[in-house]
Amino acid sequence: MENNPYLIQLQKLIEALHTSEIRLARKHILAYESNHTTKHRKMFLLFQLICRKSRHDYSRIKQKVSPNSNNDSFNRLIKRTINRVYESLLLDVNISRKDAYNEIFRVQINVRKQLIGAQILLSKGLIDQSKRRLELIRRTTKVYELYDELVECLYLLKRFYTNTKDAVKFNEVEDEIKYIEHCRKLHLDSKSLYQSIKIKLSSSLARNEDSKNIFGEIHLIKEHYDETASYKILSYYLLLMMEFYYMNNQYKAEIETGLNFISHLKQQKSIYSKNRIMQIYSSLSNTLIGASDFFNAYKFAEASLLSSKTS
């Protein structure tokens, strides 16, 4: 039992936590054990021991936490502790921390929780409350281009309008589902194309293949953007065009494309990423260093550093 998989899993999980996440997990475990009237707080003790020293011998830690239990019982305690730590990571107080996750991820997690809440309200017959929540989700997911969550929301609204026998609204939602599912497919196709072309551009294949063919493949993504107006799809196109221009020594075009992309990143919530802005400025700076334009390279390097500090 020295290489117990459950204990190793718990150890690795705790090692990956930030200090603030450890504090939150500790409070969550204490609250859980208080609610379940645990006398000896074995779960809390187990968590504390691993926090103090992440790598423990199974027999030794079992002796300290629960010496009278058998291995099966102690393994169940470890698994329950893992679940409590997972739960603490999903709490609003953790998800909402700006230093932990980017805005798009926080919104996506919140939307998924809201979808579950809407389904619960619907199952309890609280139709109007559920509908209000679904309409809010509908607006939010459109802004952030969260196609999976938007489709799920629309299917719930479709169910709502089926119950209320509102044929006009039902048909509107039905048409929107078809359109969003089409957008979702083109987004996934664009992502797959992006990954395929990215590998090709970063390998020797790019030097042996006609540039026109690669440009034609990249332009397919642009066509998907023209059809959907999806900024997520546009981001794939602009990233590839920057790399394409760089490999063909078209530095001016690369700089213009990069600055255009940064402008979109700053304005569009669906693709905003402080790290991405910082990376693009840094990439443009490196390009200009290679072109011996040290003055503008320094300006972009400064912009990269500044973007890393802004909230």
Side-chain angles (χ1 to χ4, degrees):
M1 296 301 293
E2 297 309 314
N3 294 318
N4 181 275
Y6 304 118
L7 183 60
I8 292 171
Q9 185 181 348
L10 179 59
Q11 289 170 337
K12 288 183 176 180
L13 177 59
I14 292 174
E15 285 174 1
L17 299 179
H18 296 296
T19 304
S20 56
E21 290 171 332
I22 289 174
R23 286 198 299 266
L24 182 61
R26 186 181 290 120
K27 290 177 182 178
H28 184 61
I29 289 170
L30 275 173
Y32 177 85
E33 290 196 315
S34 296
N35 288 337
H36 290 73
T37 62
T38 304
K39 291 182 180 179
H40 302 294
R41 304 203 170 186
K42 294 178 181 179
M43 190 184 298
F44 181 74
L45 178 58
L46 172 62
F47 181 82
Q48 288 289 82
L49 283 171
I50 294 178
C51 284
R52 291 175 190 147
K53 184 181 178 183
S54 61
R55 295 297 172 181
H56 274 283
D57 175 271
Y58 179 89
S59 299
R60 186 176 299 174
I61 199 169
K62 179 178 176 296
Q63 184 64 30
K64 289 183 178 180
V65 176
S66 187
N68 297 323
S69 64
N70 57 38
N71 286 341
D72 287 340
S73 176
F74 189 59
N75 287 342
R76 287 195 294 272
L77 174 65
I78 297 173
K79 286 189 279 187
R80 288 198 302 273
T81 307
I82 292 170
N83 289 335
R84 298 295 81 75
V85 176
Y86 280 144
E87 285 173 2
S88 72
L89 291 174
L90 295 174
L91 294 173
D92 284 341
V93 68
N94 183 57
I95 296 296
S96 61
R97 288 189 304 116
K98 290 186 178 181
D99 63 325
Y101 307 104
N102 64 47
E103 181 184 357
I104 296 172
F105 180 79
R106 293 199 306 270
V107 169
Q108 187 174 32
I109 293 297
N110 184 57
V111 162
R112 289 176 179 174
K113 291 167 72 175
Q114 293 293 327
L115 278 168
I116 294 171
Q119 288 176 293
I120 291 171
L121 291 172
L122 200 59
S123 68
K124 291 182 176 297
L126 300 171
I127 307 299
D128 290 338
Q129 290 186 42
S130 177
K131 182 176 179 294
R132 284 196 294 271
R133 183 162 296 199
L134 288 171
E135 289 294 353
L136 176 61
I137 294 169
R138 187 184 194 177
R139 292 192 296 271
T140 303
T141 49
K142 283 181 180 179
V143 170
Y144 287 90
E145 296 182 31
L146 301 174
Y147 294 125
D148 291 340
E149 291 79 10
L150 177 53
V151 167
E152 186 177 348
C153 172
L154 291 171
Y155 273 110
L156 286 171
L157 281 170
K158 183 179 172 183
R159 176 178 158 191
F160 171 82
Y161 290 124
T162 300
N163 294 336
T164 59
K165 298 180 174 57
D166 190 331
V168 174
K169 291 289 186 181
F170 178 89
N171 290 331
E172 286 179 2
V173 172
E174 181 86 337
D175 290 341
E176 189 173 347
I177 287 172
K178 291 176 183 176
Y179 172 71
I180 296 301
E181 286 190 325
H182 179 62
C183 290
R184 177 167 64 173
K185 180 183 183 304
L186 290 184
H187 172 252
L188 291 173
D189 290 347
S190 298
K191 186 176 183 179
S192 180
L193 263 174
Y194 168 78
Q195 293 167 335
S196 172
I197 298 168
K198 183 77 174 172
I199 293 171
K200 194 176 295 183
L201 285 171
S202 62
S203 70
S204 59
L205 291 173
R207 298 180 182 85
N208 300 325
E209 188 166 343
D210 186 70
S211 290
K212 290 182 179 179
N213 291 336
I214 297 176
F215 182 80
E217 291 181 21
I218 296 174
H219 194 70
L220 283 175
I221 298 177
K222 176 63 164 57
E223 291 177 1
H224 292 168
Y225 165 70
D226 292 338
E227 189 172 342
T228 62
S230 164
Y231 284 99
K232 286 188 174 180
I233 293 177
L234 180 64
S235 68
Y236 296 139
Y237 170 73
L238 293 175
L239 282 168
L240 289 173
M241 286 307 300
M242 283 180 63
E243 190 158 351
F244 179 82
Y245 287 137
Y246 175 78
M247 294 192 69
N248 287 277
N249 301 318
Q250 295 175 262
Y251 299 137
K252 184 178 178 181
E254 181 196 352
I255 299 296
E256 290 175 352
T257 302
L259 292 175
N260 180 33
F261 188 21
I262 288 171
S263 176
H264 287 303
L265 285 167
K266 289 179 176 179
Q267 295 176 35
Q268 303 301 326
K269 290 184 176 181
S270 61
I271 57 172
Y272 173 78
S273 168
K274 182 175 67 174
N275 288 338
R276 177 59 59 80
I277 293 170
M278 179 182 67
Q279 289 164 4
I280 293 175
Y281 273 130
S282 179
S283 176
L284 297 181
S285 177
N286 290 333
T287 295
L288 289 172
I289 288 172
S292 299
D293 186 351
F294 300 113
F295 176 76
N296 285 310
Y298 178 76
K299 285 172 61 178
F300 284 138
E302 271 196 322
S304 176
L305 183 62
L306 182 63
S307 64
S308 70
K309 294 178 179 178
T310 56
S311 59

